[in-house]
Amino acid sequence: MNNQIYAAFDEIHAERGLKERTKQYLAQKSGRRQFSPVRYAAAFALAALCVLLGGGGYAFYMAPVAAISIDINPSMEWELNRFDRVVSVTCYNEDAQNVVSGLPLKYKKYDDAIIFLLTSQEMSPYLARDPEVNISVVSENAGKEQEIQNRAAECAGQHCGNVSCHSGSMEERQAAQEAGVSLGKYQAFQALKEHYPDITLEETSGMCMHEIRNMIAQSQVSDAEPDSGTEDISGSCGNGDVGCPNGGGHMHRHGHGHQ
Amino acid sequence: MRSEQEAERAIELYADTVRRICTLHLKSYSDTEDIFQTVFLKYVLYSGAFESAEHEKAWMIRVTLNACKDYMKSFFRRHTVPLEEIQGLEAEIPEDHSDVLEAVLSLPVKYKTVVYLYFYEQYSAVEIGKLLGKNVNTVYTLLARAKAMLREQLGGDEFE
């Protein structure tokens, strides 16, 4: 039985045509699957291009073209990309950090971000007494700068009664950055220095905008009065005025500019 | 993935084995061709290493048996009739020993597979058990029954 069954099976052979067609089929399949060095190179080039485009696109998107400095007492600066989106937020004092830590401002359009900031619960203690909201805008493109300034003033004005908007120069911004203060604070310092030449940036950086403006206003009033000896310069941030680091306290300075 | 040369070597080495298993299980030549392509494509795509030539051959047999089984179970196969069958053109059976082969092919699948592996591939019952995932005693039983059926079909004592 063994031999007969063996012999019967042994007569079965794969036909030449069957083998050839199978070889062709496999060659076709493997040709589709196997990558030649050229294909590898093409795939690598494509991947590199994707990385390059992705990286380039990201860099293009994240490149700042304008900056907005917002100073109330929280002092912060936002950088905006060419699509008017906030791409970075820099806090210049602890109050700003407290506010910003709970707010997702990044990648919002700057006008939405301003409204979001000014209507947030985190910001409400600082806006309770209608303090001065100082917005300074800087951009290399003057048209863009004006546009942002107008829009920012409009948005902030909807929620705060005392908004002042300014434009700045790139040099001022660089100087502010080097001094470690926001552009708005730096500009306020420059203005204050005209009245109080011996005031330092360090002193100014600790004041809220309301205090700074009050000091300037006081100085202007004093200039109008002939006897202006030692004076008590009281910031209009009253006692308990949230956000003023001096507790809305009084600034005592002896004499002031224009001597 | 294996190279084209490896695929050609495997076809030259195992084409007859695959063809024989296809003859056992399939009725039409086009089915055989489908299984041929499936089995050798699986071989080409298989990235594992074979310990020996015997291991490789056993792998080919196992894959072919599974492919045939899957093919027979497939929806398409169960709901269509091969053209050859309609025309009475079954897969070619060699004329010599055709009665023996026909008798083997007429056995139920579980018997003819064991018969092929035992009588032609000369595997032991233990090896067949491992290959098919069956108990050795089951293999012995299948072999005994298959022999009895073949004896009956092929004329009793003459077929010894």
Side-chain angles (χ1 to χ4, degrees):
Chain A
M1 186 194 279
N2 293 15
N3 292 343
Q4 282 169 291
I5 295 175
Y6 186 92
F9 276 118
D10 205 37
E11 281 175 18
I12 302 171
H13 297 284
E15 297 79 359
R16 183 181 290 274
L18 182 62
K19 286 190 206 173
E20 288 309 315
R21 283 194 296 278
T22 306
K23 282 178 192 173
Q24 278 172 15
Y25 170 79
L26 293 180
Q28 209 179 8
K29 283 276 175 187
S30 61
R32 248 185 247 159
R33 284 162 189 269
Q34 240 172 3
F35 277 86
S36 66
V38 177
R39 282 194 180 191
Y40 270 121
F44 179 76
L46 190 69
L49 189 70
C50 287
V51 170
L52 210 67
L53 282 176
Y58 181 76
F60 180 78
Y61 184 83
M62 294 302 284
V65 296
I68 298 180
S69 160
I70 297 177
D71 299 87
I72 303 166
N73 184 50
S75 176
M76 66 185 83
E77 206 167 277
W78 301 347
E79 282 184 320
L80 311 182
N81 68 6
R82 63 198 73 238
F83 305 108
D84 296 336
R85 304 241 164 211
V86 178
V87 289
S88 79
V89 176
T90 309
C91 299
Y92 285 101
N93 58 17
E94 208 176 310
D95 287 342
Q97 269 167 357
N98 291 340
V99 169
V100 164
S101 63
L103 297 176
L105 297 170
K106 257 181 122 177
Y107 309 115
K108 276 191 190 305
K109 280 194 86 172
Y110 72 88
D111 46 1
D112 292 338
I114 288 172
I115 294 168
F116 189 62
L117 175 74
L118 296 179
T119 55
S120 68
Q121 207 165 1
E122 287 84 346
M123 200 65 184
S124 58
Y126 302 101
L127 299 172
R129 285 172 178 262
D130 195 23
E132 179 171 332
V133 177
N134 185 87
I135 298 176
S136 296
V137 180
V138 62
S139 172
E140 280 176 351
N141 181 333
K144 189 83 185 165
E145 188 175 288
Q146 193 58 49
E147 180 196 317
I148 295 172
Q149 205 177 316
N150 293 343
R151 181 73 186 132
E154 189 187 331
C155 294
Q158 290 169 7
H159 304 281
C160 302
N162 194 8
V163 179
S164 63
C165 271
H166 312 272
S167 61
S169 66
M170 295 308 279
E171 291 73 29
E172 275 181 317
R173 186 174 179 234
Q174 196 178 343
Q177 279 180 327
E178 282 165 11
V181 294
S182 68
L183 173 66
K185 199 56 88 60
Y186 185 80
Q187 285 177 322
F189 164 69
Q190 296 285 11
L192 193 60
K193 205 171 180 185
E194 282 179 23
H195 300 275
Y196 304 92
D198 54 341
I199 197 163
T200 64
L201 185 60
E202 201 179 357
E203 285 175 299
T204 314
S205 66
M207 299 179 198
C208 70
M209 295 307 287
H210 214 133
E211 278 181 307
I212 296 169
R213 294 296 169 208
N214 281 342
M215 278 180 72
I216 293 169
Q218 290 274 355
S219 168
Q220 283 166 343
V221 170
S222 302
D223 281 349
E225 293 166 4
D227 293 327
S228 58
T230 302
E231 59 168 334
D232 180 11
I233 306 163
S234 305
S236 68
C237 303
N239 283 333
D241 196 0
V242 182
C244 289
N246 301 316
H250 305 278
M251 288 291 296
H252 295 278
R253 296 196 63 80
H254 295 281
H256 53 85
H258 314 298
Q259 290 170 0
Chain B
M1 187 165 169
R2 292 172 198 278
S3 67
E4 213 174 307
Q5 287 74 26
E6 282 178 288
E8 284 191 12
R9 182 195 65 89
I11 290 172
E12 290 307 326
L13 263 176
Y14 303 115
D16 289 347
T17 306
V18 175
R19 181 74 177 89
R20 285 177 193 120
I21 297 171
C22 288
T23 306
L24 277 178
H25 293 89
L26 309 172
K27 287 185 176 170
S28 79
Y29 188 75
S30 63
D31 292 351
T32 298
E33 193 154 343
D34 281 352
I35 295 299
F36 236 75
Q37 292 177 351
T38 304
V39 169
F40 286 105
L41 184 62
K42 276 188 180 167
Y43 176 81
V44 167
L45 298 176
Y46 180 65
S47 53
F50 296 111
E51 290 159 15
S52 59
E54 288 75 30
H55 181 210
E56 190 178 56
K57 186 173 184 179
W59 185 91
M60 292 296 296
I61 291 172
R62 182 73 253 170
V63 168
T64 310
L65 285 169
N66 285 341
C68 288
K69 213 186 283 179
D70 291 345
Y71 194 82
M72 297 304 284
K73 276 195 293 190
S74 74
F75 178 87
F76 177 77
R77 183 70 185 76
R78 279 188 280 123
H79 290 81
T80 56
V81 179
L83 197 62
E84 292 94 325
E85 224 168 85
I86 297 166
Q87 295 169 339
L89 297 171
E90 291 199 347
E92 275 179 42
I93 295 172
E95 278 179 26
D96 294 343
H97 308 286
S98 62
D99 50 344
V100 177
L101 194 57
E102 270 176 31
V104 174
L105 295 181
S106 71
L107 296 175
V109 174
K110 58 182 177 181
Y111 295 113
K112 58 187 174 186
T113 304
V114 174
V115 166
Y116 168 74
L117 294 174
Y118 184 81
F119 289 103
Y120 188 78
E121 295 296 347
Q122 319 234 303
Y123 282 118
S124 67
V126 176
E127 287 169 327
I128 293 170
K130 276 186 192 165
L131 198 65
L132 301 180
K134 286 185 193 298
N135 190 295
V136 185
N137 290 332
T138 310
V139 176
Y140 280 124
T141 308
L142 291 172
L143 272 173
R145 286 183 190 164
K147 277 183 198 174
M149 282 189 264
L150 288 173
R151 242 181 246 122
E152 197 179 318
Q153 280 193 50
L154 295 166
D157 296 340
E158 285 175 31
F159 189 72
E160 284 298 336

